[in-house]
Amino acid sequence: MTATPMPLSSPALETRLATTAHDLRAAQHLRYKVFVEELGADGPDVDHTAQLECDTHDPDYDHLILVDPTRDPATLSHVVGVYRLMPGERAEAAGGFYCAAEYDLSPLLTSGRRLLELGRSCLHPDVRGGPGLLQLWRGLADYAEARGIEVMFGVASFHGTDPAPLAHPLAFLHHHHLAPPALRVTARPPDAVSMDLLPPDAIDRRAAARAIPALLKSYLRLGGKVGQGAWIDHAFNTIDVCLIVDLAEVSESARTLYAGDRAGA
């Protein structure tokens, strides 16, 4: 993994790339706490004894971590936020993008745009609802800018595998945030499900807003769009939607919010 310096936007939290095996284990430990213990995920590579959510793809990715320097690294608790990142130019050598197993990514792969896949993003409960998410997003903005990224994409998840209770948020995303055809990836069968579960006039917008996870809302505020259809991830006990963010379409106000003030940088 290659280290890239990240400017700090808070004296309490630091955003940087994982540079050591210990950093990576701490990231995998946080993923275990969130994905396995909170959301009920499992899989052949999950290490329940060591409490690590890991897989064979981890060595190929960069791991952007949010670090609380007041916590003891020896307990693997210093990492309180994480993103797993794959720049497009490295994807082929790594065997392709991870979410290609869920979505046909042909529109993105043939777009000629510089791509960045986002995955395994999560935050420790102690930093949710505060500056943690914004800090992690600003680290992501720095990472993307340094590499000339034009389009970011990745799956965002709803808890559970039954689409019926999620009819309002899924239908809202389908009718109001569907990606343009040039970037519209499509969920792969047999685990694909339609998001067109309700007509537009039957959607309870308040119920939809309450059900959409905070991270997904952040993508939408950036101007993010969704692919065609959702995908049921039985191993992770989630229903996934593919988010696509065309950075050329992000408003200046959103860039200022998420990227922070770079004046004088």
Side-chain angles (χ1 to χ4, degrees):
M1 290 173 289
T2 302
T4 299
M6 301 286 179
L8 307 184
S9 56
S10 166
L13 298 173
E14 304 171 1
T15 309
R16 59 178 173 82
L17 290 182
T19 57
T20 67
H22 190 72
D23 277 345
L24 177 56
R25 284 176 64 85
Q28 293 168 336
H29 181 65
L30 176 64
R31 284 161 37 181
Y32 185 93
K33 291 295 185 181
V34 174
F35 296 128
V36 179
E37 291 188 349
E38 286 190 40
L39 300 179
D42 203 352
D45 297 315
V46 173
D47 186 338
H48 292 285
T49 301
Q51 295 191 330
L52 302 176
E53 191 284 300
C54 48
D55 64 22
T56 57
H57 301 278
D58 277 335
D60 297 318
Y61 280 72
D62 285 333
H63 300 266
L64 180 67
I65 56 175
L66 185 66
V67 176
D68 182 347
T70 69
R71 300 186 181 216
D72 183 5
T75 64
L76 300 180
S77 64
H78 64 296
V79 172
V80 295
V82 65
Y83 254 115
R84 191 167 79 169
L85 307 174
M86 174 60 73
E89 66 269 16
R90 283 171 28 200
E92 184 175 355
F97 290 114
Y98 177 85
C99 66
E102 300 185 16
Y103 282 83
D104 178 357
L105 302 179
S106 297
L108 296 178
L109 299 178
T110 59
S111 68
R113 313 284 296 280
R114 292 181 67 86
L115 306 176
L116 177 64
E117 183 188 39
L118 317 176
R120 291 299 201 276
S121 56
C122 59
L123 287 168
H124 190 282
D126 289 351
V127 298
R128 294 175 196 166
L133 179 58
L134 184 58
Q135 181 108 352
L136 196 58
W137 270 81
R138 287 177 174 173
L140 176 61
D142 290 334
Y143 181 99
E145 182 180 55
R147 291 157 180 78
I149 299 301
E150 297 172 283
V151 178
M152 303 190 302
F153 70 97
V155 297
S157 302
F158 291 87
H159 184 48
T161 57
D162 181 1
L166 299 171
H168 290 278
L170 291 177
F172 176 81
L173 292 172
H174 173 82
H175 289 296
H176 297 283
H177 294 282
L178 194 62
L183 298 177
R184 191 180 302 165
V185 302
T186 304
R188 292 186 181 278
D191 292 307
V193 293
S194 174
M195 294 197 295
D196 188 8
L197 300 173
L198 296 169
D201 58 1
I203 298 171
D204 182 334
R205 284 176 170 260
R206 289 186 178 181
R210 286 194 300 269
I212 294 175
L215 181 62
L216 180 46
K217 289 177 182 175
S218 296
Y219 282 108
L220 299 179
R221 292 189 190 105
L222 267 182
K225 304 295 182 182
V226 298
Q228 182 78 43
W231 197 83
I232 300 177
D233 188 336
H234 296 283
F236 262 70
N237 191 34
T238 59
I239 292 180
D240 297 342
V241 296
C242 190
L243 268 292
I244 303 108
V245 180
D246 184 345
L247 293 177
E249 300 298 323
V250 175
S251 69
E252 196 59 37
S253 59
R255 287 179 185 273
T256 300
L257 173 64
Y258 286 99
D261 182 3
R262 291 194 175 85

